[in-house]
């Protein structure tokens, strides 16, 4: 791809937890060096409230965030695709770099568990992108 800033697409199942954490944390930590976005293979209705709260604790506003489906166009436009769970069935090929991380689904977790997940995803982002 030939973007001014590399496009990093985070993908999980519902685009309500893990991929939202990834995209928001990369945007927060990387100082504008990347265009971070997210999507899901089976999008939920809304971002997980505990995920929004855990990100809010870092000063990250998720009020405009909403789950959306991953599409072939999003895959084609991404320089880097990060799946938050290995083996997700994507709707097309990944022409750029594919990174497969493995983080559990925080769907029914409380805030303490989501904070731990947020911090583990943050460490992975700092290690790979920052």
């Amino acid at each position: 791809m030939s973007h001014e800033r590399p496009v990093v697409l985070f993908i999980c199942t519902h685009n309500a937890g893990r991929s939202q954490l990834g995209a928001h944390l990369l945007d927060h930590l990387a100082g504008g060096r990347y265009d971070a976005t997210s999507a899901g293979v089976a999008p939920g209705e809304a971002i997980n409230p505990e995920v929004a709260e855990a990100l809010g604790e870092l000063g990250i506003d998720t009020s405009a965030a909403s789950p959306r489906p991953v599409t072939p166009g999003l895959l084609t436009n991404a320089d880097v695709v990060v799946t938050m769970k290995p083996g997700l069935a994507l709707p097309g090929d990944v022409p750029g770099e594919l990174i497969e991380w493995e983080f559990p689904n925080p769907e029914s977790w409380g805030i303490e568990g989501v904070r731990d997940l947020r911090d583990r995803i943050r460490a992975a982002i700092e290690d790979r992108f920052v």
Side-chain angles (χ1 to χ4, degrees):
M1 303 290 120
S2 58
H3 299 108
E4 184 176 314
R5 297 181 306 162
V7 174
V8 181
L9 172 62
F10 290 88
I11 301 172
C12 68
T13 304
H14 302 297
N15 190 217
R18 297 166 287 186
S19 58
Q20 292 281 351
L21 284 164
H24 282 92
L25 287 166
L26 179 59
D27 190 52
H28 179 72
L29 296 169
R33 292 192 312 264
Y34 298 92
D35 182 6
T37 188
S38 67
V41 296
E45 294 294 317
I47 188 170
N48 178 316
E50 283 80 15
V51 167
E53 181 180 347
L55 288 168
E57 292 172 353
L58 301 179
I60 299 170
D61 178 15
T62 61
S63 61
S66 62
R68 67 178 178 157
V70 62
T71 64
L74 287 174
L75 294 172
T76 300
N77 188 54
D79 297 293
V80 180
V81 171
V82 180
T83 60
M84 305 301 272
K85 172 184 176 180
L88 288 174
L90 302 178
D93 294 328
V94 176
E97 181 181 1
L98 174 63
I99 300 170
E100 289 187 312
W101 286 345
E102 187 165 1
F103 291 105
N105 184 352
E107 188 171 4
S108 59
W109 295 7
I111 187 63
E112 289 299 323
V114 173
R115 282 184 187 125
D116 178 63
L117 177 63
R118 173 200 65 196
D119 295 344
R120 289 190 295 137
I121 291 173
R122 178 182 186 150
I125 287 170
E126 288 175 337
D127 184 55
R128 172 57 180 83
F129 293 102
V130 180

